Amino acid sequence: GDPFTIRIAHGEQGWVTLEVAGSVMPADDELDEGQSVIFNMRDVGWRLAAEEATRRSDERFRALVERSSDVVCLANPDGEITWCSPAITNVLGHQPEDMMGSRGRRFVHPDDFGPYTRALLPVLMTPGASTQVGLRLLHADGTYRWFEETFHNLVDDPRVGGIVIHARDVSTRHEAEKRFRILTQASP
């Protein structure tokens, strides 16, 4: 039948988790033996502990990403977005699934295409490279917001396999700096 899991006491070491599988052997008339059952048992405690650790790690990562005020996206080596954190909804009004397959430049203010392209292209072509650029991104409501975007080429990292894009809304800071420049230029 199908394997099942049991826990048994194991001396001073506590409990051991075993996976048990059984097979029924037919009766052997020549040996005058009746039907018998063969059990195969193996310790699977290490596997269950690893699965639990992975589950907890995934839940922790998900909780951190879902509550972040920064947007994190992953793009393939061609620059198409393959994953985007849920923060994009709060920050830019877009749904993560709506970002899939799009290129980031679609959201870049036309006046910022130059700096965006100059920052991104070398990163796309160089595994391990990273850079940062300030630019405006299109919100779902049609307005633009100021962002600092950081690009990291982790294409060669098998755990990632793409370009990590980290975007932080700096609109408030940008407006404060702009007001400060205006005030300092206007004062005698």
Side-chain angles (χ1 to χ4, degrees), residues 92 94 137-145:
L92 281 169
H94 303 286
L137 295 176
L138 182 63
H139 190 281
D141 67 8
T143 63
Y144 284 92
R145 311 279 166 90

Side-chain angles (χ1 to χ4, degrees), residues 37-58:
V37 178
I38 296 176
F39 288 102
N40 180 15
M41 294 184 270
R42 65 180 174 159
D43 183 350
V44 293
W46 62 271
R47 185 186 77 206
L48 296 176
E51 288 171 356
E52 176 63 17
T54 299
R55 184 189 62 74
R56 272 190 255 137
S57 176
D58 288 349

Side-chain angles (χ1 to χ4, degrees), residues 28-43:
D28 189 336
D29 293 333
E30 287 182 21
L31 297 174
D32 197 27
E33 291 180 352
Q35 195 174 30
S36 59
V37 178
I38 296 176
F39 288 102
N40 180 15
M41 294 184 270
R42 65 180 174 159
D43 183 350

